[in-house]
């Protein structure tokens, strides 16, 4: 705690400093002043927790100085020292709720008791203030959560908050902001999260508004911005940019090692602003519009700002059929460069998309990842046993929370594919033609070795021997395993019926398909689907 000693006698001040073990009493810093005016100036610069002052001093008395200090800090205990038994001074001390009135010459024991009493008073008040602040924060968080509910009214059960103190009334204007972070808020140190919330509150106040907030589902901060005047789209846009700059500044400082806390490193979150409404009963409408907008954030780059009241030309849902058709051919022909170009083309076509659901985009990327796995298997490029099972495309895609994450996942997998290609021996051109033909005709139940041999203009016995020599497996084994891999892709989509899948991968008998699938995978088609979708 910080103590101010004000006395015009230097000997008195020095004697107090030397005769008392201040740290043992909880006093960590001592300010000294030789009169009331200097004491007040010091108090304004470094607000003391306790004041120990002489009553009579030149230029300004200890009584007047203490009155002004208590205007700055009403909870500051005062201990008066005086050699004059003047009733007027005693009355003033009582009026100021002084802890003690100690007569000079100072009795050290008596003064220590007075200091201890003052320290206890300050500590108790600090505990009370902390408890009250925690209560207010919790109540405000509950209110912010209640405001998101469509059934909220002033008369409904609500947190014990003084709406008048919060300046909330029936004509108050609101706009809900949702910040979606790329990491769980529970990962932040408590001090860092408190710092972030304080800075956000300061940015809101700087724009002339107030806010109540709550945390939700570990990654979302919901802020209800409110004020007596209507909140324009321009002001909301400016506030969102302020918030984005704040998080960018944190990340930049961390990269430059000027932020000491590791937990403060984070990417700027998605910032979504709902429409402006009037009255607390309508805040749920602003919140819901922000939630709907947040779904579109999936298709926006990390750290984007989306505002409900800003009009944007919606892009038509892209036709990705061509990409899905060309991608497998590029992989099978080992043309990684063209595959990269198709991946980039897909990303650009889906960016800023508002006419597609995230699940639809994930389905497209899942199919492309399965094509990579299938081609790795076809070309016998994978040298790590069980790699395809361990790195399940469905699991990888499900964990992606944005288009950027999907794009990075696909790019990384293409990089792995290209790395495997660089270490693989060159493939026989006839084997390539055979694989390519099977890729295009695997769904035909009449596909046969004779048909393949006619396609490559070689005898059946020759291509069987040559294919086994080059790949280590028979043609029939390869066709069966290729069909099973394609069936896996189709099973991952619950819209595809198992009976239809068997015919789509070249089986006329559903029971035979199930037996072949279980023999190859160790699970029946339905068991495999259940595992993939769980």
């Amino acid at each position: 705690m910080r103590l101010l000693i004000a006395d015009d006698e230097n000997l008195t001040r020095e004697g107090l400093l030397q005769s008392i073990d201040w740290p043992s009493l909880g006093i960590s810093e001592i300010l000294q002043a030789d009169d009331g005016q200097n004491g007040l100036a010091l108090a304004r610069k470094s607000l003391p927790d306790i004041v120990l002052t002489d009553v009579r001093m030149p230029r300004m008395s200890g009584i007047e100085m203490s009155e002004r200090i208590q205007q700055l800090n009403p909870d500051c205990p005062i201990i008066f020292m005086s050699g004059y038994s003047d009733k007027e001074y005693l009355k003033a001390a009582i009026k100021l709720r002084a802890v003690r009135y100690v007569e000079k010459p100072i009795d050290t024991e008596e003064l220590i008791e007075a200091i201890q009493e003052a320290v206890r008073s300050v500590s108790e008040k600090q505990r009370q203030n902390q408890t009250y602040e925690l209560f207010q924060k919790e109540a405000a968080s509950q209110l912010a959560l209640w405001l998101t509910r469509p059934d909220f009214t002033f008369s409904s059960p609500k947190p014990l908050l003084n709406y008048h103190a919060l300046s909330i009334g029936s004509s108050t204007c609101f706009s809900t902001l949702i910040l979606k972070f790329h990491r769980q808020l529970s990962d932040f140190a408590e001090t860092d999260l408190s710092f972030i919330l304080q800075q956000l509150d300061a940015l809101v106040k700087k724009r002339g508004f107030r806010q109540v907030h709550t945390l939700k589902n570990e990654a979302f901060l919901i802020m209800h911005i409110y004020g007596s005047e209507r909140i324009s789209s321009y002001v909301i846009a400016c506030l969102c940019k302020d918030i984005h700059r704040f998080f960018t500044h944190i990340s930049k400082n961390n990269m430059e090692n000027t932020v000491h806390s590791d937990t403060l490193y984070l990417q700027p979150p998605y910032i979504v602003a709902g429409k402006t409404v009037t009255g607390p009963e309508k805040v749920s409408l602003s919140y819901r519009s922000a939630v709907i907008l947040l779904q579109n954030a999936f298709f926006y780059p990390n750290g984007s700002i989306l505002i409900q009241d800003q009009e944007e030309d919606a892009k038509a849902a892209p036709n990705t059929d061509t990409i899905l058709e060309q991608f497998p051919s590029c992989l099978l022909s080992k043309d990684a460069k063209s595959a990269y170009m198709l991946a980039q083309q897909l990303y650009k076509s889906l960016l800023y998309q508002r006419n597609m659901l995230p699940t639809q985009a994930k389905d497209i990327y899942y199919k492309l990842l399965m094509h990579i796995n299938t081609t790795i298997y076809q070309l016998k490029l994978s040298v790590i046993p069980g790699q395809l099972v361990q790195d399940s495309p469905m699991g990888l895609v499900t964990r992606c929370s944005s288009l950027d994450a999907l794009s990075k996942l696909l790019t990384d997998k293409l990089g792995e594919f290209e790395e495997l290609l660089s270490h693989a021996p060159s493939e026989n051109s006839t084997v390539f033609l055979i694989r390519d033909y099977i890729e295009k005709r695997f769904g035909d139940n009449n596909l046969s070795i004779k048909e393949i041999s006619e396609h490559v203009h070689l005898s059946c016995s020759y291509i069987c021997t040559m294919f086994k020599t080059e790949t280590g497996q028979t043609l029939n084994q390869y066709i069966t395993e290729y069909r099973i891999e394609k069936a896996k892709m189709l099973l991952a989509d619950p819209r595809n019926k198992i009976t239809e899948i068997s015919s789509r991968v070249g089986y006329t008998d559903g029971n035979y398909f199930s037996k072949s699938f279980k023999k190859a995978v160790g699970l029946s088609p339905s068991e495999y689907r259940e595992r993939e979708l769980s």
Side-chain angles (χ1 to χ4, degrees):
M1 291 185 189
R2 185 181 292 122
L3 171 73
L4 169 62
I5 299 177
D7 196 304
D8 59 326
E9 295 180 4
N10 185 54
L11 287 176
T12 300
R13 298 196 309 275
E14 291 297 325
L16 290 173
L17 289 175
Q18 295 175 12
S19 61
I20 296 176
D21 183 5
W22 296 102
S24 68
L25 299 176
I27 305 300
S28 56
E29 183 179 354
I30 296 178
L31 309 173
Q32 295 185 64
D34 57 6
D35 62 30
Q37 279 196 0
N38 287 333
L40 181 60
L42 276 174
R44 284 172 173 159
K45 185 177 180 180
S46 302
L47 196 65
D49 298 299
I50 302 171
V51 171
L52 175 60
T53 179
D54 193 11
V55 171
R56 292 191 178 185
M57 292 183 292
R59 298 203 297 170
M60 182 184 289
S61 71
I63 299 293
E64 185 180 354
M65 179 195 74
S66 298
E67 286 177 339
R68 298 197 182 183
I69 289 176
Q70 284 198 332
Q71 290 174 358
L72 300 172
N73 179 12
D75 298 326
C76 180
I78 310 295
I79 302 173
F80 286 114
M81 303 178 293
S82 179
Y84 304 90
S85 299
D86 192 319
K87 290 184 179 181
E88 292 302 318
Y89 288 121
L90 286 172
K91 288 179 181 178
I94 293 170
K95 183 180 177 182
L96 286 170
R97 300 187 303 278
V99 175
R100 288 287 184 90
Y101 188 92
V102 182
E103 292 187 3
K104 291 182 178 181
I106 301 296
D107 182 329
T108 304
E109 292 300 320
E110 183 183 1
L111 180 59
I112 288 175
E113 286 182 10
I115 296 294
Q116 289 173 333
E117 187 177 346
V119 169
R120 283 195 296 271
S121 174
V122 172
S123 298
E124 179 60 27
K125 195 65 181 177
Q126 287 177 344
R127 281 194 295 271
Q128 290 176 1
N129 289 339
Q130 288 173 354
T131 301
Y132 179 75
E133 287 178 7
L134 285 174
F135 169 79
Q136 287 295 96
K137 286 180 180 179
E138 179 61 26
S141 177
Q142 291 179 23
L143 173 62
L145 195 57
W146 267 95
L147 287 170
T148 65
R149 297 178 53 163
D151 60 345
F152 175 86
T153 64
F154 274 124
S155 59
S156 61
K158 51 189 176 291
L160 298 175
L161 273 175
N162 186 333
Y163 289 133
H164 178 72
L166 288 174
S167 301
I168 292 178
S170 59
S171 61
T172 304
C173 294
F174 290 85
S175 182
T176 299
L177 265 61
I178 301 179
L179 277 62
K180 180 185 177 184
F181 291 87
H182 302 282
R183 52 185 288 194
Q184 293 193 336
L185 294 170
S186 58
D187 291 341
F188 290 97
E190 187 175 342
T191 52
D192 290 339
L193 185 57
S194 178
F195 167 73
I196 289 172
L197 294 174
Q198 287 174 5
Q199 295 301 308
L200 293 177
D201 186 62
L203 292 174
V204 172
K205 288 178 178 176
K206 183 180 176 183
R207 291 290 171 183
F209 294 96
R210 302 179 70 177
Q211 61 89 24
V212 288
H213 66 266
T214 188
L215 308 179
K216 191 171 183 180
N217 297 340
E218 287 288 354
F220 301 93
L221 171 62
I222 301 169
M223 298 174 65
H224 302 300
I225 313 301
Y226 67 92
S228 57
E229 299 180 358
R230 183 167 180 81
I231 310 172
S232 68
S233 298
Y234 173 76
V235 171
I236 286 294
C238 290
L239 176 58
C240 291
K241 289 176 183 176
D242 291 342
I243 293 172
H244 187 275
R245 277 193 292 268
F246 163 67
F247 284 107
T248 302
H249 180 68
I250 289 179
S251 298
K252 182 180 178 183
N253 284 350
N254 188 278
M255 294 291 286
E256 295 173 354
N257 298 319
T258 57
V259 172
H260 300 295
S261 175
D262 293 337
T263 68
L264 257 183
Y265 176 69
L266 71 165
Q267 298 176 10
Y270 286 110
I271 306 170
V272 179
K275 63 183 181 180
T276 299
V277 297
T278 301
E281 292 90 347
K282 294 184 179 179
V283 173
S284 63
L285 299 176
S286 181
Y287 170 70
R288 276 187 289 174
S289 68
V291 170
I292 292 171
L293 202 55
L294 188 60
Q295 294 178 349
N296 297 130
F298 182 92
F299 295 98
Y300 283 67
N302 292 331
S304 291
I305 297 172
L306 286 81
I307 300 175
Q308 176 66 38
D309 293 338
Q310 287 184 339
E311 293 294 331
E312 277 191 32
D313 294 330
K315 292 171 62 176
N319 185 345
T320 57
D321 292 345
T322 302
I323 293 174
L324 288 171
E325 290 172 4
Q326 294 179 357
F327 194 78
S329 299
C330 292
L331 298 177
L332 199 57
S333 62
K334 303 179 183 180
D335 187 358
K337 182 178 179 181
S338 294
Y340 276 118
M341 290 175 64
L342 287 172
Q344 197 59 28
Q345 181 182 332
L346 175 65
Y347 173 77
K348 290 179 179 178
S349 70
L350 296 181
L351 195 61
Y352 306 117
Q353 181 57 239
R354 291 197 179 191
N355 288 313
M356 179 180 279
L357 295 174
T359 52
Q360 293 174 294
K362 289 184 177 184
D363 182 58
I364 295 169
Y365 275 87
Y366 167 76
K367 290 176 179 176
L368 297 183
L369 290 175
M370 282 300 293
H371 282 311
I372 293 175
N373 278 2
T374 300
T375 306
I376 288 174
Y377 182 82
Q378 283 181 266
L379 300 179
K380 299 298 179 185
L381 299 178
S382 179
V383 294
I384 305 174
Q387 182 187 39
L388 300 184
V389 176
Q390 182 180 358
D391 297 334
S392 167
M394 179 58 71
L396 293 171
V397 166
T398 301
R399 289 192 292 271
C400 290
S401 58
S402 67
L403 180 64
D404 278 5
L406 283 177
S407 178
K408 183 179 185 304
L409 173 62
L410 181 59
T411 301
D412 289 345
K413 288 300 176 182
L414 282 173
E416 293 174 12
F417 174 73
E418 193 173 25
E419 179 69 15
L420 290 172
L421 279 179
S422 67
H423 294 95
S426 57
E427 186 178 48
N428 183 294
S429 59
T430 303
V431 171
F432 170 77
L433 290 173
I434 292 172
R435 291 186 197 274
D436 183 61
Y437 189 74
I438 292 172
E439 179 195 355
K440 294 173 181 175
R441 301 274 295 160
F442 72 94
D444 185 352
N445 65 294
N446 293 317
L447 177 66
S448 64
I449 293 176
K450 183 175 184 300
E451 183 182 333
I452 296 171
S453 68
E454 290 174 353
H455 174 73
V456 296
H457 306 292
L458 294 169
S459 69
C460 293
S461 59
Y462 179 80
I463 65 168
C464 285
T465 303
M466 182 270 301
F467 193 88
K468 178 72 182 294
T469 302
E470 291 288 333
T471 67
Q473 65 180 158
T474 68
L475 254 177
N476 282 327
Q477 286 175 335
Y478 179 78
I479 293 170
T480 299
E481 291 180 8
Y482 186 84
R483 283 171 166 166
I484 296 299
E485 288 299 315
K486 287 296 181 181
K488 287 181 182 179
M489 290 179 61
L490 295 169
L491 285 166
D493 188 339
R495 294 170 296 183
N496 296 323
K497 295 180 180 179
I498 293 178
T499 53
E500 295 174 351
I501 291 173
S502 64
S503 61
R504 288 175 65 179
V505 296
Y507 288 86
T508 55
D509 186 339
N511 290 329
Y512 181 66
F513 164 69
S514 295
K515 290 178 182 179
S516 299
F517 190 93
K518 187 166 186 177
K519 182 179 179 181
V521 181
L523 298 170
S524 68
S526 58
E527 289 171 340
Y528 178 83
R529 167 173 279 174
E530 185 177 347
R531 187 190 71 177
E532 283 295 291
L533 298 179
S534 61

